[in-house]
Amino acid sequence: MSGMAERAELARQRADGRYDLSRARWGGTNAALAAVSDGTPPAELPVEWRHWRAGVDFAALVADLDYLATSVCYRVGESETTVFLSLWFGVPLVDESANPGAGALVAVDSLDDARAVRAAFRAFKGALADALTAGDLPPVAAPCVISAWLRGLAARETHVAPPFPPPERLNGMGRPDGT
C-alpha cells in the first residue's frame, strides 16, 4: 500500500440548497467508490469524515477543490448520491503549472466506469504533455484542448474549475485557433 491517501470530499445538500462539506482520508479508494456506486451512503463508509465547511454552493466547491489531493467527490442530495472523479489537469500550462485547483469533476456510475474514465484521461494527459514538451502545441492552447476533451464527455455531468473555459463555451470543433 502506498503512503498517499485517497481523499474524498463529501458534499451533503442542506434544505436551503447549499452544501456542508466533509473530508475523509481514505474515502476515495476503489472499494469506497464501488460501495457508494452500489448504494452505500458515503456517511456509512468505514472512514472518518471530518467536517470542514458549511453552507457552500456546489460551484464554490468546484472552484476551491484541490484536484491533485482529491480522488473522489460524493454529492448527496435529497434523493440521490452522485459520484464524481476528480481529474487534475497538471500539465505544463501557462500560469497554471502544478496548480492543484486546476481540474474537473466528472460523474461516474460504477467502479468500472471510473477506471475507464481514469485510463482515458491519463492517456489524454500523456499525449497532451508530449505535444507540449515537443513544442507541437503552444502552452496557451492547453486549456482549450483540455476543455475540448471534456466536451467529449457530454453525456456525463461535468464541472470544470476556473480558469478553464467550460466545455460548452468552446467554438466549432473546439480547436484552439477557433477554426
Side-chain angles (χ1 to χ4, degrees), residues 8-67:
E9 297 282 336
L10 172 57
R12 293 184 197 133
Q13 190 172 30
R14 304 176 346 171
D16 65 2
R18 297 177 75 76
Y19 292 85
D20 289 336
L21 307 179
S22 299
R23 290 182 174 151
R25 183 172 181 190
W26 297 105
T29 64
N30 283 343
L33 189 153
V36 173
S37 295
D38 289 340
T40 300
E44 293 179 15
L45 292 172
V47 298
E48 182 181 342
W49 291 104
R50 294 178 187 250
H51 177 77
W52 69 281
R53 285 178 74 187
V56 176
D57 66 14
F58 199 72
L61 167 66
V62 170
D64 296 340
L65 191 64
D66 181 338
Y67 292 89

Side-chain angles (χ1 to χ4, degrees), residues 48-106:
E48 182 181 342
W49 291 104
R50 294 178 187 250
H51 177 77
W52 69 281
R53 285 178 74 187
V56 176
D57 66 14
F58 199 72
L61 167 66
V62 170
D64 296 340
L65 191 64
D66 181 338
Y67 292 89
L68 178 58
T70 304
S71 297
V72 177
C73 178
Y74 305 110
R75 184 181 63 197
V76 178
E78 239 180 76
S79 61
E80 72 176 349
T81 297
T82 305
V83 178
F84 294 97
L85 278 185
S86 170
L87 302 179
W88 179 56
F89 296 159
V91 292
L93 304 176
V94 173
D95 297 328
E96 289 299 316
S97 182
N99 176 356
L105 293 177
V106 176

Side-chain angles (χ1 to χ4, degrees), residues 103-131:
L105 293 177
V106 176
V108 294
D109 58 17
S110 68
L111 178 56
D112 287 342
D113 188 33
R115 286 178 171 154
V117 171
R118 276 187 196 131
F121 187 66
R122 285 180 181 148
F124 162 76
K125 243 175 79 166
L128 177 60
D130 289 347

Side-chain angles (χ1 to χ4, degrees), residues 18 24 44 60 71 83 93 134 136 150-151 155-156 158 161-162 170-171:
R18 297 177 75 76
E44 293 179 15
S71 297
V83 178
L93 304 176
D136 296 333
L150 290 169
R151 189 170 154 191
R156 296 177 186 275
T158 302
L170 291 175
N171 54 44

